[in-house]
């Protein structure tokens, strides 16, 4: 298998690692890509970005009330 962040994964396709990556593990190498996109276009003055490990994505919430989401116009 392959080791990523101290955890052993089996050979083959890995749909989702503990750190929100999709990987392919072979005897020669391990290739991974992220399952999330970083928010870029949002109100940076009044909002903040928090990584949501459950959904494997970033939540953009109000600084004054994190229970309220902010509009996101673009992600990279």
């Amino acid at each position: 298998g392959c080791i990523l962040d101290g955890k052993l994964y089996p050979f083959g396709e890995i749909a989702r690692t503990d750190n929100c990556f999709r990987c392919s593990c072979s005897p020669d190498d391990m290739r991974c890509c992220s399952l999330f996109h970083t928010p870029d276009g949002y109100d940076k003055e009044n909002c903040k970005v928090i990584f949501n490990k459950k959904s494997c994505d970033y939540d953009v919430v109000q600084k004054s009330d994190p229970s309220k989401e902010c509009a996101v116009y673009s992600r990279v």
Side-chain angles (χ1 to χ4, degrees), residues 10-25:
F11 289 129
E13 297 297 316
I14 302 150
R16 177 179 165 175
T17 67
D18 290 347
N19 292 329
C20 298
F21 285 88
R22 179 180 15 203
C23 299
S24 175
C25 172

Side-chain angles (χ1 to χ4, degrees), residues 32-63:
C32 299
C33 62
S34 66
L35 294 171
F36 49 89
H37 295 91
T38 306
D40 185 45
Y42 63 94
D43 181 355
K44 292 179 173 74
E45 187 175 319
N46 296 307
C47 302
K48 64 181 178 178
V49 176
I50 300 172
F51 189 71
N52 183 331
K53 203 167 185 177
K54 186 176 181 181
S55 67
C56 280
D57 206 356
Y58 287 99
D59 294 333
V60 181
V61 297
Q62 292 181 8
K63 288 179 181 177

Side-chain angles (χ1 to χ4, degrees), residues 1-4 7-12 14 24-27 29-30:
C2 299
I3 296 178
L4 179 67
K7 183 172 180 182
L8 179 65
Y9 291 93
F11 289 129
I14 302 150
S24 175
C25 172
S26 73
D29 67 354
M30 184 171 192

